[in-house]
C-alpha cells in the first residue's frame, strides 16, 4: 500500500508556515543551512557562474555519501578554496571529478558518479547559459535547466538529485548575484531521508501499519512531493525554501526521542522566529518518531 496524505495536517502545516512567512524562512536558511554558506563561498571565490555550475554538478552526484551532507559540502568548499572552478562545462566537470576523487564522502560508487558527470555534459547548451546568466537561468528559465539536465541523465525533472542541483546552484547565486531572491513556486521538494522523516513525523504523510515510515515515503516520493507542494501553495513559501527548514530539523525525530526532538527543533528555530512560533513548529513537526510502529 502507498502512503496517504492527511488533509487535516496539510491545513495545519500551511497555517504554521504562513505564520512564519517567507522572509523568516530565508533568514532560517542563512542561519541553519551550512550548504548555503559553502556554495556561496565557492561562487565568491570563482564567480557566480562557475560557482553555480560547480555546485550544480556536485549536487548531481550527492547521493550514497559516506558522510553527512553538511560535511560533504564543507569538503566541497575546502577543495575549491585551492582548486579553480573553471568557467566552461568541460573544465567544471573535470574539476568536480577531481573533487570526487579527493573527498572520502564520494567513496561509495565513485566510478558511477564520475560517469554521471560525463553524461551531464550532454546538457552543455543550458550549462553555458548558466555560466553566462546564472540569475536569469535559475530564476526565470529554471524549467529549461531542469528539463535539460534530466534529459541528459535519463531522469525526470522532479527527481531528487535533479531538483537539488537547482537548489545548490541557487545557493551559489544567493550569496553573490541573487541576494534576497526566492526560488520559483513550481519546483518540488527533493524527497530524501530527512524530508521523508519530516513528512511522517509531522503527520502530513501516513504509512501502512508496521511499515518503516522513512523507507515507505522514500519508495513513493511523489506522495510527499505533492503534499509539500500543497503546503507551499497554502503558505506562500516555495517548496525548495520549505525544504531547508525541514532538512535542518528532519533528523531529530529519527535520531531522538520525541520530546528531545521537539526541544532541538525549538532551539534551532526560536532565535529567528521567536518563542510562540518555535513552540508551535516543534509541536507540529515532531508529533511522532520516525520508526516502525507495530
Amino acid at each position: 500500500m502507498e502512503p496517504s496524505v492527511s488533509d487535516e495536517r496539510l491545513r495545519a502545516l500551511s497555517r504554521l508556515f504562513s505564520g512564519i512567512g517567507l522572509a523568516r524562512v530565508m533568514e532560517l536558511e542563512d542561519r541553519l543551512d551550512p550548504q548555503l554558506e559553502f556554495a556561496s563561498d565557492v561562487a565568491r571565490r570563482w564567480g557566480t557562474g562557475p560557482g553555480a555550475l560547480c555546485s550544480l554538478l556536485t549536487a548531481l552526484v550527492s547521493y550514497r555519501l559516506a558522510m553527512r551532507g553538511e560535511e560533504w559540502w564543507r569538503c566541497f568548499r575546502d577543495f575549491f578554496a585551492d582548486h579553480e572552478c573553471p568557467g566552461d562545462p568541460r573544465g567544471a566537470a573535470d574539476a568536480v571529478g577531481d573533487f570526487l576523487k579527493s573527498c572520502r564522502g564520494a567513496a561509495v560508487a565513485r566510478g558511477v558518479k564520475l560517469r554521471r558527470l560525463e553524461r551531464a555534459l550532454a546538457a552543455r547548451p543550458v550549462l553555458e547559459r548558466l555560466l553566462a546568466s546564472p540569475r536569469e537561468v535559475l530564476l526565470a528559465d529554471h524549467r529549461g535547466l531542469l528539463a535539460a539536465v534530466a534529459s541528459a541523465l535519463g531522469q525526470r525533472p522532479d527527481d531528487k538529485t535533479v531538483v537539488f542541483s537547482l537548489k545548490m546552484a541557487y545557493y551559489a547565486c544567493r550569496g553573490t548575484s541573487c541576494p534576497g531572491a526566492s526560488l520559483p513556486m513550481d519546483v518540488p521538494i527533493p524527497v530524501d531521508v530527512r524530508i521523508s522523516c519530516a513528512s511522517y513525523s509531522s503527520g502530513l504523510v501516513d504509512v501502512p501499519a508496521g511499515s518503516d515510515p522513512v523507507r515507505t515515503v522514500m519508495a513513493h516520493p511523489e506522495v510527499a512531493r505533492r503534499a509539500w507542494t500543497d503546503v507551499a501553495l497554502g503558505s506562500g513559501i516555495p517548496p525548495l525554501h520549505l525544504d531547508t527548514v525541514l532538512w535542518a530539523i528532519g533528523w531529530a525525530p529519527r535520531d531522538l526521542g520525541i520530546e528531545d526532538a521537539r526541544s532541538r527543533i525549538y532551539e534551532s528555530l526560536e532565535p529567528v522566529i521567536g518563542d510562540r512560533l518555535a513552540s508551535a513548529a516543534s509541536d507540529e513537526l515532531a508529533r511522532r518518531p520516525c520508526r516502525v510502529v507495530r
Side-chain angles (χ1 to χ4, degrees), residues 12-291:
L13 290 166
S14 296
R15 288 194 297 271
L16 170 69
F17 282 105
S18 180
I20 294 172
L22 177 58
R24 278 184 288 204
V25 165
M26 292 180 71
E27 189 177 348
L28 285 169
E29 290 174 340
D30 290 328
R31 179 182 177 86
L32 298 179
D33 195 348
Q35 297 172 139
L36 171 55
E37 174 188 352
F38 300 150
S40 294
D41 283 348
V42 172
R44 284 189 284 265
R45 178 77 173 86
W46 300 111
T48 302
L53 179 56
C54 281
S55 295
L56 179 142
L57 292 172
T58 300
L60 289 174
V61 294
S62 295
Y63 60 93
R64 296 183 66 191
L65 299 177
M67 56 176 53
R68 290 172 69 93
E70 298 91 331
E71 298 173 288
W72 170 251
W73 287 98
R74 183 186 296 277
C75 196
F76 167 80
R77 189 272 307 277
D78 292 347
F79 178 87
F80 282 107
D82 298 321
H83 299 81
E84 182 185 6
C85 178
D88 69 278
R90 173 75 268 170
D94 288 343
V96 172
D98 289 340
F99 162 65
L100 290 179
K101 296 170 188 175
S102 74
C103 183
R104 66 176 178 82
V108 178
R110 183 178 277 121
V112 176
K113 294 180 173 78
L114 289 168
R115 290 192 291 275
R116 184 173 168 85
L117 276 178
E118 288 298 314
R119 295 205 309 275
L121 289 176
R124 186 183 187 101
V126 76
L127 300 181
E128 290 176 340
R129 293 203 302 276
L130 175 64
L131 282 164
S133 305
R135 183 184 179 102
E136 178 183 349
V137 171
L138 293 169
L139 302 179
D141 189 28
H142 56 284
R143 289 184 181 178
L145 174 64
L146 291 172
V149 170
S151 176
L153 297 175
Q155 294 184 243
R156 292 165 49 97
D158 59 1
D159 282 348
K160 177 179 65 176
T161 53
V162 176
V163 174
F164 183 56
S165 73
L166 172 67
K167 179 172 181 175
M168 290 308 301
Y170 159 80
Y171 268 0
C173 190
R174 168 95 163 259
T176 51
S177 301
C178 309
S182 60
L183 283 155
M185 183 65 78
D186 60 352
V187 183
I189 201 166
V191 181
D192 62 4
V193 169
R194 297 194 200 191
I195 299 304
S196 297
C197 181
S199 300
Y200 176 78
S201 180
S202 66
L204 179 62
V205 177
D206 288 313
V207 302
S211 61
D212 182 289
V214 171
R215 290 183 180 178
T216 303
V217 175
M218 289 193 69
H220 301 277
E222 68 284 353
V223 176
R225 276 198 296 262
R226 288 196 306 267
W228 287 113
T229 294
D230 286 343
V231 171
L233 292 170
S235 65
I237 299 174
L240 284 183
H241 290 290
L242 293 177
D243 173 63
T244 300
V245 179
L246 300 172
W247 183 85
I249 57 88
W251 62 272
R254 185 172 172 84
D255 295 350
L256 304 173
I258 204 64
E259 291 303 324
D260 287 339
R262 287 173 178 164
S263 294
R264 292 297 292 272
I265 292 170
Y266 175 88
E267 291 167 3
S268 297
L269 303 182
E270 189 275 336
V272 172
I273 68 176
D275 174 74
R276 180 182 63 82
L277 285 171
S279 294
S282 64
D283 288 343
E284 297 287 5
L285 295 172
R287 298 173 66 86
R288 55 191 178 187
C290 295
R291 62 171 183 263

